């Protein structure tokens, strides 16, 4: 029998005001990074994990201001605990999906993303079974779109609509700290563009948008953080890989 882990989450301090929260006992190689940014007037939580343990309760000691929660996109590893929070934002293309709890789109292609018991080294509570897993509907979710600003008082994040991995994928960019939170649009691992709601041509357009940015640091939805040089490498590699088969004459 697997042991119960409480707390289920782990927090790593990156620097003052920036924390990375993970679910270390969910051992799927692609587990998500959740980012907590402390602001002057409000705090920002980017993504909410699987939703198998209360993230709100876990964070309660760290939160002393209003919390704005933004889902980088609707997939389960990012949106699972959104239902627990009051002020939740997601791109308008996936807004109804999260509000209604559409499991087909939230879990994405089950053969790739479905949550399995074997992916849990420990469990969040006695009796947990991944076979009952689902993401709860979040009827309070509000729609955001490209160009919207998430304002924390002393720092602000611009919403960049970057579809391709999914239709409502976004990045959040701070001009102040030159930080890009990139969700599943770009991370240093195999990028997924073969899901039910993926569109490769949109993904290429989104990647080209990222080449116009000058971030000093990228905080992705999975795996480790990286710098601008690595961002451009990953983006360029994706574009080259995807464009090549379509245009053999240009190779
Ligand atoms: Zn995803
Ligand atoms: Zn993901």
């Amino acid at each position: 029998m697997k042991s119960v882990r409480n707390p289920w989450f782990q927090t790593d301090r990156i620097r003052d005001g920036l924390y990375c929260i993970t679910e270390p006992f969910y051992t799927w190689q692609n587990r998500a990074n959740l980012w907590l940014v402390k602001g002057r007037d409000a705090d920002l939580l980017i993504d909410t994990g699987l939703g198998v343990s209360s993230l709100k309760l876990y964070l309660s000691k760290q939160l002393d201001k209003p919390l704005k929660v933004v889902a980088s996109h609707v997939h389960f590893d990012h949106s699972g605990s959104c239902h627990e929070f009051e002020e939740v934002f997601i791109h308008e293309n996936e807004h109804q999906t999260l509000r209604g709890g559409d499991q087909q789109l939230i879990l994405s292609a089950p053969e790739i993303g479905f949550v399995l018991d074997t992916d849990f080294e420990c469990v969040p509570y006695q009796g947990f079974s991944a076979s009952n897993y689902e993401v709860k509907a979040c009827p309070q979710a509000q729609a955001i779109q490209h160009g919207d600003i998430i304002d924390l008082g002393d720092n602000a994040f611009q919403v960049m609509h970057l579809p391709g991995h999914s239709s409502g994928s976004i990045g959040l960019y701070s001009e102040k700290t030159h930080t890009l939170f990139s969700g599943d649009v770009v991370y240093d691992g195999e990028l997924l563009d073969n899901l039910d709601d993926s569109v490769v041509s949109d993904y290429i357009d989104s990647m080209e948008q990222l080449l116009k940015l000058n971030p000093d640091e990228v905080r992705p939805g999975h795996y480790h953080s990286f710098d601008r040089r690595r961002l451009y490498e990953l983006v360029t590699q994706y574009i080259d890989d995807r464009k090549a088969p379509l245009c053999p004459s240009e190779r």
Side-chain angles (χ1 to χ4, degrees):
M1 207 164 84
K2 292 177 186 174
S3 60
V4 172
R5 288 302 175 126
N6 188 10
W8 174 249
F9 302 95
Q10 174 181 311
T11 300
D12 291 306
R13 178 186 169 280
I14 308 298
R15 59 171 176 261
D16 271 357
L18 178 61
Y19 302 85
C20 183
I21 301 158
T22 52
E23 300 174 271
F25 308 106
Y26 178 55
T27 52
W28 188 41
Q29 41 100 11
N30 216 13
R31 68 180 167 223
N33 299 322
L34 324 178
W35 298 99
L36 178 64
V37 183
K38 307 279 288 174
R40 187 190 66 203
D41 303 334
D43 295 332
L44 168 64
L45 175 66
I46 302 165
D47 288 337
T48 62
L50 294 169
V52 297
S53 180
S54 176
L55 182 58
K56 189 178 185 181
L57 200 62
Y58 174 75
L59 289 176
S60 57
K61 289 196 196 82
Q62 296 178 58
L63 298 177
D64 48 6
K65 291 188 269 313
L67 180 68
K68 297 171 190 286
V69 175
V70 177
S72 66
H73 62 303
V74 82
H75 291 156
F76 64 96
D77 45 333
H78 304 265
S79 69
S81 276
C82 284
H83 68 93
E84 292 192 81
F85 298 95
E86 284 152 32
E87 209 177 348
V88 179
F89 302 94
I90 187 164
H91 188 266
E92 59 186 355
N93 286 3
E94 294 175 349
H95 172 232
Q96 292 304 338
T97 304
L98 188 60
R99 282 176 71 102
D102 180 337
Q103 300 300 309
Q104 184 61 36
L105 281 168
I106 291 174
L107 294 170
S108 194
E111 69 280 7
I112 295 170
F114 202 74
V115 181
L116 303 170
D117 277 314
T118 48
D119 292 331
F120 289 80
E121 186 184 309
C122 301
V123 288
Y125 54 87
Q126 207 84 55
F128 171 82
S129 168
S131 57
N132 305 325
Y133 177 79
E134 62 173 28
V135 170
K136 290 202 177 94
C138 180
Q140 70 274 33
Q142 302 175 52
I144 49 175
Q145 52 187 287
H146 185 83
D148 282 354
I149 303 289
I150 309 290
D151 191 359
L152 307 185
D154 57 346
N155 197 353
F157 294 84
Q158 187 164 1
V159 175
M160 300 180 68
H161 184 212
L162 300 167
H165 171 74
S166 73
S167 67
S169 284
I170 61 163
L172 290 174
Y173 186 62
S174 164
E175 290 279 1
K176 183 181 173 187
T177 60
H178 299 278
T179 303
L180 172 68
F181 292 93
S182 62
D184 279 5
V185 178
V186 59
Y187 48 72
D188 201 345
E190 188 193 353
L191 300 175
L192 300 179
D193 63 5
N194 56 351
L195 307 171
D196 288 352
D197 48 346
S198 298
V199 178
V200 172
S201 57
D202 288 350
Y203 213 145
I204 292 172
D205 291 346
S206 295
M207 290 301 215
E208 284 171 346
Q209 291 300 310
L210 292 178
L211 289 176
K212 297 175 189 160
L213 274 189
N214 287 304
D216 289 331
E217 56 179 17
V218 181
R219 304 291 177 186
H222 299 278
Y223 307 110
H224 61 83
S225 300
F226 46 90
D227 61 9
R228 185 190 313 160
R229 188 190 59 82
R230 185 65 182 146
L231 172 71
Y232 289 173
E233 275 177 11
L234 292 166
V235 164
T236 306
Q237 189 180 350
Y238 178 85
I239 294 172
D240 289 350
D241 287 354
R242 292 303 179 272
K243 278 193 169 171
L246 299 174
C247 321
S249 60
E250 291 172 21
R251 296 179 86 172

